[in-house]
Amino acid sequence: NAIKSVSNVKQLTSGLKGYANDNRGQLPPSNQWCDVVLRENGTVRIFASPQDPQMTTQIKSGQRLSSYALNYAVAGRNINSLNPTTVLVFECPLGWNGVGTPQQLVQYLQSRTTVRNVAVSFADGSARQCNLQMLQQLRWTP
């Protein structure tokens, strides 16, 4: 499930990068990022983390929810001006078009007893699983 979640954030990032390529490098505004990625990728399934079975069930029933959030600091920014190691998308259920901060992600992880690692993607298109200690060392600001 952790590997599938990494695959999801890679697909979400690919959708963001595709949008940016079509829009002079600009990432979508924070209140539209899920809508944009859905148009780019064509499926809501990538918004459901396999590490969150309840979310997966809700999304399969047609609800527009997301197990992932966009880093608030990159919304609307030019992707070409970001440091390649800047966090783009991370696993944290903040709702459809949800944007978040590292603090919200830490709170989420601390509230969950079953989730120890989350999927995170970066401006260079890479993605990986990170634990709480690793998250605190990541680049969150452009």
Side-chain angles (χ1 to χ4, degrees):
N1 283 342
I3 291 169
K4 289 177 186 175
S5 189
V6 168
S7 176
N8 283 358
V9 296
K10 283 185 75 85
Q11 290 179 66
L12 293 169
T13 299
S14 175
L16 289 169
K17 289 177 84 89
Y19 174 87
N21 286 337
D22 293 340
N23 291 278
R24 298 178 318 278
Q26 295 303 122
L27 289 168
S30 60
N31 65 345
Q32 297 175 6
W33 82 270
C34 287
D35 300 316
V36 163
V37 170
L38 180 58
R39 283 192 302 272
E40 290 285 330
N41 291 9
T43 179
V44 294
R45 290 185 182 189
I46 60 173
F47 291 97
S49 170
Q51 297 189 112
D52 188 351
Q54 181 179 0
M55 181 73 73
T56 301
T57 301
Q58 291 173 313
I59 289 174
K60 283 182 180 177
S61 73
Q63 295 182 49
R64 285 216 173 165
L65 300 168
S66 180
S67 298
Y68 305 97
L70 180 69
N71 176 3
Y72 84 100
V74 302
R77 296 276 195 138
N78 188 303
I79 196 162
N80 301 316
S81 68
L82 299 179
N83 182 299
T85 62
T86 305
V87 172
L88 278 188
V89 177
F90 57 96
E91 189 172 353
C92 187
L94 298 176
W96 190 257
N97 290 320
V99 294
T101 64
Q103 294 80 12
Q104 287 172 297
L105 180 52
V106 167
Q107 289 172 347
Y108 168 68
L109 274 174
Q110 290 173 339
S111 72
R112 303 285 301 212
T113 56
T114 58
V115 177
R116 297 282 181 225
N117 295 305
V118 293
V120 178
S121 70
F122 303 90
D124 67 359
S126 66
R128 67 174 183 250
Q129 283 284 312
C130 295
N131 62 28
L132 187 58
Q133 184 179 11
M134 294 166 68
L135 292 170
Q136 295 169 348
Q137 298 171 7
L138 298 179
R139 181 183 191 97
W140 291 88
T141 57

